Amino acid sequence: MASSHFLISAPSSNSGKTTLTLGLLRALKKRNLTVQPFKCGPDYIDPIHHTQAAGHQSINLDTFMSSDSHVEEIYAKYSGIADAAVTEGVMGLFDGADKMQGSSAAIAEVLGISVILVVDARSMAYSAAPLLYGFKNFYPGINVAGVIFNFVNTASHYRFLQDACADVGVEALGYLPKNNDLAIPSRHLGLHISGETNYEKVIENVAAAVSQTVDLDRLLAITKRDQPISRFRSTSSKSSQQLKIAVAHDEAFTFLYQQNIDVLSEFGEIARFSPVNDHTLPETDFLYLPGGYPELFAKELSANKTMRESVGEYCRNGGLTYAECGGLMYLGKTLTNNQGNAFDMVGALDCNTSMLHSKMTLGYRVGNWDGLEFRGHEFHYSGFTNNELAEAKAKITNAKGIETETKLYRKYNTFASYMHVYWGDNRGFLEKLLELVT
């Protein structure tokens, strides 16, 4: 079955990739097409928006945290029945963990899919020509097939941009006008799902604009493939353990990779629960507390005393737990929010965390735990105000191999870190944890 495959990227961040991607996903869905979204890199928030816009679960693709073959496998798995597979890039097209490593361009090359550039044209006309020429010719391993311009003032402005495209040999596919109704505040992209923004309304507005000023028929035509990217070969297999697995998943704990959950399901039955709304922890052999925004729901988490006591008792009795970032904060003694208010948390870990005087910590991470390598990333603003946690025997470095302040902590059978681990490709980290289940 012929289908369209393309990756939306840009010369730099803040060019409007996410807003345009959301509009394209919804506009194509309104054509009764099956649309499969993907996101380059370790982002958690954009896939939530993608899923809402397309009606299908968005999937992360990352060639730093996982192998090229893994990226090919999951892309083939999820795009196989789609009429259009739309991948949103990360940062600028060639920006990776180390030069191009893990970049959107690297993923486009691995998958053999065309790149559609989004160019911020607010202060640009024919000067788009050398910019596009550079991106088209810099790296022969990818195909920059077309461009959509953002923040275009008028139709006459767009004609200057079309001239630039014609002289470079990159197809002009349309534009989006500058319009406040088409914007999601940048502070809410990649940071948190904001109650201040009506995402559904924004998605609908962008989809309507895209349908008017972007040539969707041409976009689909120039990115159509008659052959699948690759054949999906299932590698999943049920473990003999068949454990009871509890996964925190609610408005406070949203940072979940679908591939991590898929691998977890091979080891048993998953029960999702809400530390905010449920009364007690479900019966479990393994508790997974992923990241999220506990600081935004600190009052509610603290007020749910029966859940805090249930989780604390489980951890103190030696129950196997992995808590990352927001999950670590929840298991600490107190959490201080941005307003300076401290709230009691579970108290299973000897630490206190705070959002005050925070600084962003961001980057890929490579861990080595008794000879076992595991990969992931770190992204948080919170920090410790008190940390008496014991460290597990693990060394964690950044993408360039430089050791970081990030640690893997252990108390009883509770493990915690600010690192978000991706075990969708390499199960070693998860298997090493699950060996402790007796």
Side-chain angles (χ1 to χ4, degrees):
M1 178 185 74
S3 55
S4 299
H5 300 258
F6 56 91
L7 185 149
I8 300 291
S9 190
S12 66
S13 296
N14 300 317
S15 299
K17 294 190 303 293
T18 298
T19 301
L20 177 64
T21 299
L22 295 177
L24 286 172
L25 291 171
R26 179 59 61 85
L28 295 175
K29 182 176 184 289
K30 283 178 172 288
R31 290 186 166 203
N32 294 318
L33 299 178
T34 300
V35 186
Q36 175 58 55
F38 296 91
K39 173 65 183 181
C40 296
D43 189 283
Y44 289 107
I45 301 304
D46 288 347
I48 295 174
H49 297 313
H50 291 177
T51 302
Q52 179 179 354
H56 286 87
Q57 175 67 52
S58 183
I59 302 298
N60 293 81
L61 305 172
D62 196 297
T63 54
F64 182 87
M65 297 194 303
S66 63
S67 63
D68 290 357
S69 61
H70 177 72
V71 168
E72 290 180 299
E73 287 283 324
I74 59 177
Y75 188 87
K77 174 182 177 180
Y78 286 94
S79 67
I81 62 170
D83 299 307
V86 182
T87 302
E88 181 188 349
V90 59
M91 300 188 291
L93 177 58
F94 296 101
D95 296 328
D98 188 8
K99 294 187 177 181
M100 274 181 59
Q101 185 183 19
S103 68
S104 303
I107 290 173
E109 181 177 27
V110 166
L111 298 176
I113 58 178
S114 296
V115 173
I116 306 298
L117 279 178
V118 182
V119 172
D120 182 343
R122 269 177 288 200
S123 302
M124 183 184 300
Y126 189 70
S127 289
L131 174 71
L132 293 173
Y133 181 86
F135 275 83
K136 176 181 172 63
N137 295 289
F138 173 72
Y139 187 72
I142 62 171
N143 172 39
V144 177
V147 59
I148 299 171
F149 294 97
N150 202 7
F151 308 111
V152 173
N153 294 324
T154 62
S156 61
H157 180 196
Y158 180 58
R159 285 194 287 274
F160 283 103
L161 300 168
Q162 286 178 301
D163 290 341
C165 290
D167 288 350
V168 171
V170 175
E171 190 153 348
L173 295 169
Y175 66 93
L176 278 180
K178 184 177 180 180
N179 186 332
N180 290 334
D181 291 336
L182 307 183
I184 298 174
S186 60
R187 68 183 184 276
H188 297 156
L189 291 173
L191 296 178
H192 70 269
I193 303 295
S194 170
E196 303 170 24
T197 303
N198 185 334
Y199 294 98
E200 182 61 26
K201 182 179 179 181
V202 172
I203 291 169
E204 281 289 312
N205 288 342
V206 181
V210 161
S211 298
Q212 293 175 3
T213 56
V214 175
D215 190 342
L216 295 177
D217 290 328
R218 187 60 183 158
L219 170 62
L220 293 173
I222 66 173
T223 58
K224 194 173 292 293
R225 298 176 62 106
D226 293 326
Q227 299 295 326
I229 298 297
S230 63
R231 295 186 182 276
F232 169 63
R233 298 176 295 278
S234 176
T235 57
S236 64
S237 59
K238 286 291 183 181
S239 166
S240 60
Q241 287 180 281
Q242 291 305 289
L243 307 171
K244 294 178 180 178
I245 301 168
V247 177
H249 189 203
D250 60 12
E251 56 267 43
F253 299 95
T254 58
F255 291 179
L256 291 166
Y257 291 123
Q258 183 61 46
Q259 266 48 59
N260 277 7
I261 299 302
D262 288 347
V263 170
L264 264 180
S265 68
E266 298 173 13
F267 292 88
E269 182 179 348
I270 294 176
R272 300 192 186 215
F273 74 101
S274 169
V276 172
N277 302 302
D278 294 336
H279 296 297
T280 59
L281 179 68
E283 183 181 353
T284 186
D285 300 305
F286 176 52
L287 169 60
Y288 176 36
L289 292 165
Y293 303 109
E295 68 274 13
L296 300 181
F297 301 93
K299 182 178 179 180
E300 293 84 353
L301 289 167
S302 184
N304 193 347
K305 189 175 180 180
T306 57
M307 176 59 79
R308 288 194 291 118
E309 290 175 344
S310 176
V311 172
E313 182 180 10
Y314 170 82
C315 293
R316 285 187 289 271
N317 287 336
L320 180 62
T321 303
Y322 181 62
E324 55 189 15
C325 200
L328 181 159
M329 297 165 69
Y330 178 59
L331 290 186
K333 294 177 180 179
T334 63
L335 189 166
T336 301
N337 64 13
N338 288 295
Q339 291 72 45
N341 300 314
F343 295 91
D344 289 334
M345 293 289 115
V346 172
L349 295 178
D350 301 319
C351 65
N352 303 79
T353 58
S354 174
M355 299 297 296
L356 294 180
H357 314 297
S358 60
K359 64 175 183 178
M360 183 177 71
T361 301
L362 171 67
Y364 283 115
R365 299 290 181 258
V366 179
N368 188 298
W369 183 14
D370 290 336
L372 171 71
E373 182 179 287
F374 58 98
R375 295 195 170 210
H377 73 102
E378 194 173 358
F379 179 30
H380 59 93
Y381 288 87
S382 66
F384 293 110
T385 56
N386 176 57
N387 180 4
E388 300 176 7
L389 294 170
E391 298 176 15
K393 294 179 180 179
K395 177 182 177 181
I396 298 176
T397 66
N398 64 18
K400 294 182 179 291
I402 300 170
E403 189 168 2
T404 67
E405 295 180 1
T406 314
K407 306 296 181 184
L408 178 65
Y409 302 104
R410 178 178 184 177
K411 183 176 182 181
Y412 306 122
N413 283 330
T414 295
F415 294 81
S417 179
Y418 263 115
M419 177 177 173
H420 299 269
V421 178
Y422 184 81
W423 58 68
D425 186 21
N426 181 357
R427 294 161 168 77
F429 179 84
L430 179 61
E431 290 172 342
K432 187 173 179 66
L433 287 175
L434 296 180
E435 287 175 1
L436 298 174
V437 177
T438 56

